[in-house]
Amino acid sequence: MSGLSPVAPYDAIFSLGAACGCALHLRRNHLRPMAGPLDWVRGAGTVGERAALVANRFQGWLRPENLSPLEQDPGYRHWRTTDAATGLTLLHDFRNERPFEEEWREVWARYERRKERFLACLGTRQRVLLAWFSLSGAVTPLAEQERAVRTLRARFPAAIDLLAIEHDPGAAPLGEAEAVRGAGVFAFRANLSATGDAPRDDILGDRQELVAAILARFRLREEVARAVRRHDRRRAWGQTARRLIAGLIPNRVLRQRIRRKTY
């Protein structure tokens, strides 16, 4: 990973996708100052598609008439739905426990807050880093990444950079990440499988220590970083407390609600 000098601190860092693993890696490495609208969704699965979605300010998304019927997602306790206007699939938001209209209003309000907060950051002259983490094995050409940055910089006053960490099955197994620098782009390509084949962990990848080493090159402004660490500590303490309390509750439904804070 030689050849990349230290990067100046950012005012905000957000996940651009491609799925949940990006936001999880940012959170684990204390680089996620706030929730973003693309943290926990799939679909619109290229850097260019996500950049166009942001540039269009998520036009038309999450309207109820654009959402596909709820479908049980194997392995999840949630139900998934795909937004035809954006191509995004929501995996973690609908539980199908109440009338759809009631659940939709709650989900829409949550994503609307995240979207407006995200767009507000891009609407200032702050330094913002958008992170992209993909395990698909389809490495994005540098020219496409640079084009995505140009698209976003043309629409927003923020100084926007792109960090892309992608699984490259053609890279040497257990080798270091190859660092490529473009105009506003920091691209890292590595074999993120422990076996040299497809990663067994299809969310975070098998070589999470390598991803952490890459993310260590990027940082938030000091006062933002301190706030993130305080928030992460409170969140960890809250999760531990909820698990302890839930273990004392005999009612299974109430126990689950306590664990996920929906009481």
Side-chain angles (χ1 to χ4, degrees), residues 96-113:
N96 205 22
E97 297 173 343
R98 292 172 289 158
F100 175 80
E101 184 71 21
E102 186 179 332
E103 286 201 354
W104 171 81
R105 281 196 298 269
E106 184 178 292
V107 171
W108 181 86
R110 179 163 62 248
Y111 275 91
E112 193 68 8
R113 288 193 300 271

Side-chain angles (χ1 to χ4, degrees), residues 145-254:
Q145 295 168 340
E146 291 179 320
R147 190 159 53 246
V149 171
R150 287 198 301 271
T151 296
L152 293 168
R153 287 180 173 180
R155 295 298 299 271
F156 300 100
I160 299 172
D161 287 338
L162 172 69
L163 163 64
I165 304 173
E166 296 183 314
H167 170 57
D168 181 358
L174 304 183
E176 287 195 345
E178 176 192 1
V180 181
R181 180 72 193 270
V185 176
F186 305 92
F188 294 85
R189 298 154 184 178
N191 195 322
L192 297 175
S193 168
T195 62
D197 200 351
R200 289 170 293 188
D201 188 329
D202 62 358
I203 296 175
L204 294 169
D206 300 339
R207 303 183 62 202
Q208 296 169 35
E209 74 292 341
L210 180 58
V211 177
I214 294 171
L215 291 176
R217 294 170 175 246
F218 299 85
R219 55 198 174 97
L220 291 159
R221 278 192 297 109
E222 186 55 39
E223 58 270 35
V224 179
R226 285 198 299 268
V228 169
R229 284 185 165 80
R230 286 196 300 269
H231 175 270
D232 289 346
R233 283 195 297 269
R234 288 196 298 268
R235 182 178 56 81
W237 294 338
Q239 288 177 336
T240 300
R242 286 196 301 277
R243 283 196 296 268
L244 292 173
I245 293 169
L248 303 174
I249 303 297
N251 183 285
R252 182 176 65 87
V253 174
L254 180 57

Side-chain angles (χ1 to χ4, degrees), residues 31 36 40 78 110 115 191:
L31 291 173
W40 314 117
H78 304 88
R110 179 163 62 248
K115 182 189 76 172
N191 195 322

